[in-house]
Each structure stands twice: as structure tokens, then as C-alpha cells.
Amino acid sequence: MATAALSGFSVMSLLSLSYLTWDWMSPNQAENQSAPDSANRLPAAHPPHIIFIMTDDQGFNDIGYHNSDIRTPTLDKLAADGVKLEQYYIQPICTPSRSQLLTGRYQIHTGLQHSIIRPRQPNCLPFDQVTLPQRLQEVGYSTHMVGKWHLGFYKKECLPTRRGFDTYFGSLTGSVNYYTYNSCDGPGLCGFDLHEGETVAWGRGGKYSTHLYTQRVRKILATHDPRGPPLFIYLSFQAVHTPLQCPRRYVHPYRGMANVPRRKYAAMVSAVDEAVRNVTYALRKYGYYQNSVIVFSTDNGGQPLSGGSNWPLRGRKGTYWEGGVRGLGFVHSPLLRRKRRVSTALVHITDWYPTLVGLAGSNASATEGLDGYDVWPAISEGKESPRLEILHNIDPLYNPARAGSLQGGFGIWDTAVQASIRAGDWKLLTGDPGYGDWTPPPVLPSFPGGWWGLERHTQPRKSVWLFNISGDPYERSDVAEQRPDVVKQLLARLAYYNRTAVPVRYPMEDPRAHPDLNGGAWGPWFGDGEEDTWDGVSRRRIKDRKETLKMSRTKSFFRRLNARMMSNRI
């Protein structure tokens, strides 16, 4: 894929640009090139136990080693003794990150490039995708998932136990109450969401989810033989996603924080830190640790309005600024050859698929069409990363930018389309990237949500941004006008990727999914063998898009008017 010709531009002209001096190489080419090193990195007879820990909505500034106000001694210690990934990229929202982790593909290649999978949508991870746990099962791994799924469940074939996990315990939707496991998708659309395998886990509520999920992981470790089949455990915490709920004992150390959401949020992060401590203790106690690899990752940037912080990065969850897509990540393992260091190697969430498959002793190149690279030599040995480019996304359904046009994209790309790409040191954004301010950690007792919204949420008057991320990691100096040569080349890359995209999968919501029609719980509602009847894109979404375009001028006028009025009041 990466070696394909650029429409209207030669690869050699791109390579001649400053900061763009690399050789294009596909994931399969990179893997074959590094095969001699990777073949000797671990004894084939002893594949490692893999523990992948994912947190939800944890911001770049929400860990102790980035911000001393947050108490995470366990995570800090694990990261310090392992390898911190300081150029690690994820997706700006939940579903895309999780789909990329389990498939090793950009979401334009799975049809999940728009928004998230809603609870009532007849949609899930495409069935033609061979998932990471399925590949690990093929080489003898015992696979287990605990926590948040959020990859669809309208059919039984969508459930974790049908997508490669031997066992599953957790919630299928995107957000649940941390104690009752009640999940709502709107007024009157609530249901119970805690599942054991493919059945509803009635009667298991009441325990804080971070503790409940940790307890399950420890049980798996206690009952499995570390000398037997290797383990793959995907621990997908619900924390620190809203609602902001936490036992009081975690809140007390943060009593000095004036901002209430920030205080609760910080307490939830500390609860996760304690949970990770208990998991690593169990790894040592039951004999797994010396042959284990622990990967820690968040799924997207933090949400400042709900206590999170990405400071000093720009933007937040749901945006393609660095605050939305640059994630927390580290690897801790006795098997690392070069420990206790900070890595600036470029790593993307799709890279875990081929990297972990390679650690398991299999050949990731057997899976066609991967967008991820095997980055273990870069992480373990400090070698250069084979990854030199990241397609953050192309979303053709997101509200088009009023200032964008094909002409504005030099006839190469319609800059009204929301898209973003990183190539070498350069990052290009088109369309509407989302909320783009720099939000420091809140210090006031409450966040000035209404006034903040009126003052800050103005529609951008441009549709192309270019940043040198290595020299300007906070995206403060847009150089699109100064470097049209780079802009043209990256627009050509977007056009190339767009030609490889599959149709968007975003169906209309199905009223049959209502929990009241399914015993009061969220779960599959399609019958066995029932065929899909939707064409992939919600007609309502298309209608909403047209109405948005029609009303944009009116909304923009009143937003500016209200902003002026509120400014005078302030």
C-alpha cells in the first residue's frame, strides 16, 4: 500500500522535501526486512504471556510521569522500568481505536471510519476480519477479555467469544454505571449491561467495575498454569470514562483539588493504578511475570469537560489535534533488551497486531492487508521504527467544512472532508478537525461550560492546517501557506488512501434493540441466520448532513451574536 504511486506527484519529489526523507515501505516489506532480528528475539518454545491493558478517555496529562498532581505510582514505576512510548498514536474516539487494535487496520479499511457503534445500530466489527486473538489462538494461546467491548453486538457472531476470545466478562456498550451496570442510549432507553460469555450476568452488579474486572483477571491468573498454554489477556477498563464515579477512599487524597470533576477523575485514575498493581502482583505471585509482556494504552485523548486533561497538547477527545490522537502508552517486560528509557519511535495502535503476533512466534504477514508494523525491535532494542506515516482518518460523513473545496485542495483533495495524516515530521489536517483550543487543567470549583462554549466553539474559517510536529508538538504554528509543496504531497497521500477505503458502515438504529424487548438487558437482537437489510449508511445521517449544511449560516450568525452578548456580560 505505502509503495503506491502518488496521484500527480512522484515519490521521489516527496522524498526530496525537508523532513520527508524516507523510503516508502509497506508493513509486509518492513516485517520481511526485519525477520532475521525478530526471529531470534524470543525462544520459539516459550512464547510470552501478553497482558494488554487499555484505559478509556485517559488524557495525555493524566498520569504521574506527565503530571505530578496525578498519583499513579504503579504506572509510573512500570513505565520507568520499561519503555515509555512518547510518539504513540491512537484514535480520537472509542470504537475506532478498539477496532484498529484487534484488526491491525485503519478504520477506512473496515468501514468504521465514522463515529462510534451505537448500542441500537445493527453493526459490529466486520466478519471478514481475522482478529488479533484469533491469530493468537491459532498458535496455541488461551485468550481472555475482561471489560468494555464497544465493537457491536447485534448478532451473536459479533460477541467477543465469537471473535477470538475463549472467555469474556464485561460490558458490550460504550458507557455504563460503575456499580449498577445500567447503560442508557437516551431517555427511556436503558438496560443492564454486564455479560459473562454470551449470557447476561444478572446479580453480579454492585461492585465497582474497576475492582470487579481486576478480580476477574486475578482469577484467570490463579486458575491457569503458567507453564501451560501462553495467556493473552485483554483488560479493557471502563475507567476513566464518564460517569465520574469512584469509591470515596480514592477521592480523599485529592481533596485539595478545587475542581470537582477533576477531583473525581483523578481519583478514578488512582483506582486504575491500584488495579494494575494488583494485576502485576498476581503475575509475580503465580509465576507469569518473568515471561510476560505488559502493554499499557489509552484509547483516545481526555475530555476536559469531564475532568480529563491533555495539556499541553492541543484539542481533546473526538478531535484530530494531538490532544485527541496522541496517547499514553508504555511497555513493561523482563524480555525487553533495552529497558528504562523513553522511546520517540513512531508507533500506532494498529502496530500491536503484527507486533504481538510476532512475539507469539507467528508470521503477521500471513494476514493480508495489515496497516500495522512489527515495532518490537524499535521498542525492545531501540532500533528505528519501520513506521514513517500514520493515516489518522478520513471521515466522509462528518459535517463538511464550509471553507473547504476541491479548488482549495489544488484539485487533489476536497478540503471540506475531515481527514488527517502524519508523514515523517509533518502533520496535515483538512475539513473540521474538531475543537482546537489548548485547555490547561481546571482549577476553578466548576468548569464554565456555557460561557466557554460560546466563546470557544466557533467554526474555523479555514480547512487546511500543516504542522511540523517534531518542532511544534503543540500545533501552534500553522505553516500551510509557507509550505504548499508539503501540503500538495500530503493531500496526494490522502487521495491515495481514499481510493483504498471501503464503504462506510453506519446503519440506522433498529428499534428491536430496545432492552425492554430483550428482557431488560442490552444484547444481540438479530435472530440466528437473519440477514442484514441495510445498505451501510444511515439515511437519517445523510438527511441530518443536508439539514446541517442548510442551517449552518443561521447557527453561525447566532453563535457569534451570543458570544458578543456574553462577552459584554463577562
Side-chain angles (χ1 to χ4, degrees):
M1 176 180 301
T3 57
L6 305 182
S7 176
F9 297 91
S10 70
V11 175
M12 290 308 297
S13 64
L14 180 59
L15 300 184
S16 67
L17 294 174
S18 175
Y19 304 108
L20 287 173
T21 54
W22 63 77
D23 295 320
W24 294 103
M25 186 181 298
S26 71
N28 287 347
Q29 287 174 322
E31 182 174 338
N32 292 336
Q33 186 181 50
S34 61
D37 289 334
S38 60
N40 297 321
R41 64 192 179 203
L42 288 174
H46 302 284
H49 304 288
I50 301 170
I51 315 297
F52 196 102
I53 302 172
M54 177 174 279
T55 56
D56 198 340
D57 288 7
Q58 186 176 2
F60 187 78
N61 196 40
D62 297 330
I63 197 166
Y65 62 79
H66 283 169
N67 178 8
S68 60
D69 291 340
I70 304 297
R71 295 178 170 89
T72 55
T74 299
L75 296 176
D76 295 349
K77 176 65 173 174
L78 291 175
D81 290 343
V83 177
K84 298 177 185 175
L85 305 177
E86 290 297 278
Q87 287 287 320
Y88 174 54
Y89 287 87
I90 50 187
Q91 289 303 300
I93 47 180
C94 307
T95 297
S97 283
R98 295 161 198 277
S99 71
Q100 293 192 0
L101 168 67
L102 295 188
T103 67
R105 290 170 169 82
Y106 295 139
Q107 64 260 46
I108 65 163
H109 296 144
T110 59
L112 300 176
Q113 55 267 58
H114 179 68
S115 191
I116 60 173
I117 297 178
R118 307 295 309 180
R120 290 176 289 150
Q121 281 184 311
N123 194 12
C124 70
L125 198 66
F127 299 120
D128 61 350
Q129 300 293 317
V130 178
T131 66
L132 171 61
Q134 286 173 330
R135 285 300 311 274
L136 294 177
Q137 282 181 330
E138 292 173 1
V139 292
Y141 270 73
S142 176
T143 59
H144 307 269
M145 180 177 175
V146 179
K148 174 177 172 177
W149 175 238
H150 207 187
L151 286 173
F153 54 87
Y154 75 106
K155 291 181 176 181
K156 288 185 178 180
E157 289 81 1
C158 300
L159 297 177
T161 48
R162 307 286 180 101
R163 305 312 302 269
F165 291 102
D166 296 323
T167 68
Y168 173 68
F169 181 62
S171 299
L172 298 173
T173 63
S175 176
V176 302
N177 184 288
Y178 281 75
Y179 294 96
T180 66
Y181 300 91
N182 198 46
S183 176
C184 297
D185 192 38
L189 288 166
C190 300
F192 186 72
D193 184 17
L194 185 63
H195 296 258
E196 177 79 68
E198 299 182 6
T199 62
V200 181
W202 296 109
R204 299 294 301 275
K207 193 178 186 70
Y208 188 59
S209 75
T210 302
H211 295 163
L212 185 65
Y213 294 157
T214 305
Q215 185 180 56
R216 170 53 61 94
V217 172
R218 296 187 68 181
K219 180 179 179 181
I220 293 171
L221 294 173
T223 55
H224 188 83
D225 183 358
R227 298 165 297 181
L231 279 178
F232 172 60
I233 298 178
Y234 173 30
L235 172 54
S236 177
F237 283 116
Q238 171 192 352
V240 287
H241 195 289
T242 54
L244 300 180
Q245 297 173 315
C246 193
R248 291 184 179 180
R249 65 186 177 93
Y250 299 103
V251 180
H252 183 73
Y254 296 101
R255 60 191 180 279
M257 279 189 176
N259 185 269
V260 176
R262 181 66 172 165
R263 186 191 313 157
K264 292 181 178 179
Y265 180 97
M268 295 166 71
V269 174
S270 290
V272 168
D273 184 79
E274 180 187 86
V276 174
R277 183 189 68 186
N278 289 333
V279 169
T280 53
Y281 174 81
L283 288 172
R284 295 176 184 273
K285 177 180 179 180
Y286 298 116
Y288 298 91
Y289 177 75
Q290 291 301 325
N291 189 35
S292 68
V293 174
I294 301 171
V295 180
F296 180 87
S297 169
T298 185
D299 67 340
N300 48 248
Q303 172 55 276
L305 296 176
S306 300
S309 175
N310 306 301
W311 182 260
L313 302 180
R314 184 177 187 176
R316 65 187 185 193
K317 172 185 177 178
T319 76
Y320 289 95
W321 305 107
E322 290 292 282
V325 297
R326 186 172 167 187
L328 293 174
F330 65 79
V331 176
H332 178 93
S333 173
L335 305 175
L336 292 167
R337 291 186 175 179
R338 291 184 57 195
K339 306 181 181 70
R340 301 178 181 86
R341 64 185 184 87
V342 175
S343 171
T344 57
L346 195 60
V347 178
H348 186 249
I349 193 167
T350 56
D351 297 332
W352 295 121
Y353 187 114
T355 300
L356 299 182
V357 168
L359 281 175
S362 185
N363 186 357
S365 63
T367 303
E368 294 293 333
L370 291 182
D371 294 307
Y373 294 81
D374 185 344
V375 293
W376 185 254
I379 294 173
S380 177
E381 303 171 41
K383 295 184 176 181
E384 290 188 10
S385 173
R387 175 174 288 283
L388 300 166
E389 181 180 76
I390 295 173
L391 175 69
H392 291 302
N393 194 26
I394 299 171
D395 186 348
L397 294 189
Y398 194 81
N399 296 331
R402 289 180 57 195
S405 66
L406 182 61
Q407 182 180 3
F410 303 98
I412 304 169
W413 178 257
D414 184 354
T415 61
V417 176
Q418 185 192 63
S420 181
I421 188 170
R422 164 96 183 252
D425 294 333
W426 295 107
K427 178 181 177 182
L428 180 81
L429 304 99
T430 70
D432 181 1
Y435 174 83
D437 211 338
W438 297 266
T439 309
V443 294
L444 299 175
S446 61
F447 204 90
W451 289 357
W452 185 274
L454 289 171
E455 288 292 303
R456 305 286 182 165
H457 292 192
T458 57
Q459 189 154 359
R461 298 180 180 179
K462 59 181 301 180
S463 60
V464 178
W465 294 261
L466 178 68
F467 301 95
N468 182 331
I469 291 298
S470 295
D472 179 26
Y474 311 137
E475 297 171 299
R476 293 185 177 272
S477 300
D478 176 17
V479 295
E481 294 185 2
Q482 290 81 7
R483 295 302 302 269
D485 53 335
V486 180
V487 171
K488 290 178 182 179
Q489 298 293 350
L490 295 185
L491 290 175
R493 289 303 291 168
L494 287 177
Y496 162 71
Y497 276 114
N498 197 48
R499 291 195 296 272
T500 72
V502 301
V504 178
R505 299 168 56 91
Y506 198 76
M508 292 182 66
E509 294 171 337
D510 188 339
R512 296 181 299 164
H514 198 303
D516 288 351
L517 303 177
N518 296 281
W522 292 103
W525 66 90
F526 264 50
D528 293 339
E530 182 176 350
E531 296 293 330
D532 295 321
T533 59
W534 51 276
D535 59 4
V537 180
S538 167
R539 295 185 183 89
R540 180 181 302 171
R541 176 62 189 161
I542 296 174
K543 181 180 178 182
D544 290 346
R545 182 177 176 182
K546 292 180 179 178
E547 292 177 349
T548 298
L549 288 171
K550 187 184 299 182
M551 294 295 293
S552 61
R553 291 183 180 273
T554 303
K555 289 182 178 180
S556 178
F557 168 77
F558 282 107
R559 187 182 294 113
R560 292 195 301 269
L561 177 63
N562 288 336
R564 289 196 297 270
M565 293 171 61
M566 292 305 296
S567 295
N568 291 334
R569 289 178 58 184
I570 293 172

